[in-house]
Amino acid sequence: MTATRRPAARTHALLAPTCPVRTARPEDAAALAGLSQPFVRSGALRERPVSLYAAHAGDFLVTEAPDGTLDGCVGLRVHPAGPREGQGPAGVVYNFCVAGRRQGEGVGATLLRAVLARARARSLGTLFTATTGGGGLFLRFGFAPATARLAPASWTESLDPRRDARILRKALQPPG
């Protein structure tokens, strides 16, 4: 009987440490747009002009390689409570992407943990996102399918119905 070698088990992406996360700066706008381009071409993200990334740089958390190249980004937009939300401000996670060369290394999990911490620090009760993919990472972090009526109206009205995005929601616990 011969033994077959198995590949070494990878540390699960939810636990894998990766590079530090920082808030994006306006001068990162072109790099944010460039990082997002493969996802725009695939239909996973909407195209946004560089000027929009510059104007909303503070929404974004990024990770970068030692050479300064962005490895990943995620935006968090705060929406004030509206009449149909009824529970205070909510956050929307958007433009979440990881460079192909870094996918599967825990960069996405690192960014998602960081955006969850930022949302809690801002006392947001709920986070929403829309995905055209499977949303596996979001689901592993406790997001669940939701209806548009639960999300901030200003955000759901901006979604392109032709993209057939699925809305996911996560209730947040206060920091404690």
Side-chain angles (χ1 to χ4, degrees):
M1 182 155 130
T2 58
T4 306
R5 291 189 112 180
R6 291 184 183 199
R10 270 180 92 162
T11 303
H12 194 280
L14 290 174
L15 304 174
T18 61
C19 49
V21 175
R22 68 169 172 83
T23 301
R25 301 178 291 260
E27 57 268 25
D28 292 320
L32 288 165
L35 179 62
S36 302
Q37 259 326 288
F39 301 93
V40 170
R41 284 192 298 273
S42 76
L45 289 178
R46 290 190 288 189
E47 183 140 26
R48 293 175 171 88
V50 172
S51 61
L52 190 68
Y53 286 108
H56 296 284
D59 283 1
F60 286 89
L61 296 173
V62 298
T63 60
E64 61 186 353
D67 68 0
T69 305
L70 293 187
D71 286 331
C73 68
V74 61
L76 174 63
R77 176 77 44 88
V78 176
H79 290 264
R84 76 180 193 191
E85 287 90 44
Q87 292 188 341
V92 171
V93 175
Y94 72 103
N95 206 105
F96 187 15
C97 53
V98 174
R101 69 185 184 286
R102 293 298 309 273
Q103 290 181 7
E105 296 179 12
V107 174
T110 295
L111 284 166
L112 193 49
R113 272 193 298 279
V115 85
L116 288 168
R118 180 180 265 195
R120 286 184 182 103
R122 292 183 177 178
S123 299
L124 301 180
T126 308
L127 280 182
F128 292 91
T129 195
T131 182
T132 58
L137 183 62
F138 288 109
L139 297 172
R140 286 192 300 276
F141 272 81
F143 283 77
T147 62
R149 69 179 177 75
L150 296 173
S154 59
W155 174 65
T156 58
E157 291 164 3
S158 75
L159 295 175
D160 182 349
R162 295 171 296 179
R163 297 185 71 231
D164 197 29
R166 191 166 60 139
I167 295 174
L168 302 175
R169 174 183 183 268
K170 178 176 176 65
L172 299 176
Q173 300 300 319

